[in-house]
Amino acid sequence: MEISPDNIILWQSGIVKLNATILYTWLVMIILVGGSWVVTRQLSVQPKLSRRQHILEIIVDAIADQIRDASRQEPSQFLPFIGTLFIFVATCNLLTLFPIYESPAGSLSTTTALALCVFVAVPLYGIKNRGVGGYLKHFLQPSPFMLPFQLISEVSRTLSLAVRLFGNIMSGSMLVAILLSIVPLLFPMVMRAFGLLIGVIQAYVFAILAMVYIASGMRAQKSS
């Protein structure tokens, strides 16, 4: 059993490798881009909406409500970024319904890349709302001696975000694989369905933690 899709090499020529993480990440991106194009065609503001527009609005409203609850701010400025994080991770995990598929979220390289996106988003949103000076000032609060600790805090929470998602997805995959090897058919099928639920929950937790980090950074700037 492969612990990470990074270890599944599909093609190699010299030092150039194509592993399952790269292949399935691009597959998820193609599905999301194609699905977005299909769902957003012929959007309407008329009272009679299509079924796919109803579903789209329910998803968008649900994500916006969660952002509002987590940040206590108007969700519109955060919705594209946080919504994309949630939908990407959730899609990666839901596609594990297909036996030959391996979730890219089970790769530490993927979760690190997502965490780095959050790491970059925190100062970008801070600078957007408070300016460069206002954002940098909070690193020196309440004393300039706190600067190293503030920087360590920024890096450590990014690392913890990546490791948390990777560990949860990997442990779920390993549990299903172990049960599949020792129990016949029925129980692993139940566990795979349970794993899909856990995958959606992990996407939700990842997106909410990202929102909390961004919001906490903005609150720290306002209080400084």
Side-chain angles (χ1 to χ4, degrees):
M1 182 188 66
E2 299 289 352
I3 295 179
S4 168
D6 288 341
N7 299 327
I8 304 175
I9 306 300
L10 304 174
W11 175 85
Q12 181 174 357
S13 177
I15 61 173
V16 180
K17 298 179 181 179
L18 175 64
N19 59 28
T21 299
I22 297 174
L23 176 65
Y24 293 132
T25 297
W26 276 93
L27 175 63
V28 171
M29 290 192 296
I30 291 172
I31 291 174
L32 291 180
V33 171
S36 299
W37 179 76
V38 171
V39 171
T40 56
R41 285 190 309 165
Q42 300 177 346
L43 294 180
S44 174
V45 294
Q46 301 299 323
K48 187 176 181 180
L49 305 179
S50 64
R51 181 176 301 178
R52 65 187 179 191
Q53 185 170 341
H54 273 297
I55 296 174
L56 177 64
E57 291 187 2
I58 289 172
I59 295 174
V60 172
D61 287 342
I63 296 175
D65 289 341
Q66 295 302 315
I67 292 175
R68 186 180 293 107
D69 292 340
S71 65
R72 304 298 180 186
Q73 299 186 51
E74 173 57 38
S76 58
Q77 64 173 322
F78 309 110
L79 184 60
F81 179 66
I82 300 299
T84 299
L85 284 179
F86 170 76
I87 293 174
F88 176 78
V89 177
T91 303
C92 286
N93 295 333
L94 288 174
L95 288 177
T96 55
L97 181 65
F98 299 97
I100 63 172
Y101 173 87
E102 294 287 340
S103 173
S107 163
L108 186 57
S109 59
T110 299
T111 56
T112 300
L114 294 174
L116 286 175
C117 291
V118 178
F119 180 77
V120 173
V122 172
L124 288 181
Y125 278 106
I127 292 171
K128 177 183 177 181
N129 286 271
R130 299 291 294 173
V132 177
Y135 175 75
L136 296 178
K137 183 179 177 182
H138 92 279
F139 285 100
L140 305 177
Q141 299 294 329
S143 166
F145 294 106
M146 294 299 296
L147 177 61
F149 300 101
Q150 296 278 19
L151 295 176
I152 292 173
S153 174
E154 292 288 326
V155 175
S156 62
R157 69 183 180 184
T158 300
L159 179 62
S160 68
L161 192 63
V163 174
R164 180 183 291 112
L165 179 61
F166 168 73
N168 287 323
I169 300 302
M170 183 190 69
S171 61
S173 299
M174 290 183 65
L175 179 60
V176 172
I178 292 171
L179 291 173
L180 186 60
S181 64
I182 61 177
V183 183
L185 181 63
L186 182 60
F187 193 57
M189 291 177 60
V190 175
M191 288 304 301
R192 181 169 289 275
F194 180 72
L196 294 178
L197 175 62
I198 296 299
V200 175
I201 293 175
Q202 289 305 323
Y204 170 79
V205 171
F206 186 88
I208 289 298
L209 284 176
M211 186 65 257
V212 169
Y213 289 162
I214 293 172
S216 63
M218 294 172 63
R219 283 195 292 267
Q221 298 147 25
K222 291 180 180 180
S223 62
S224 59

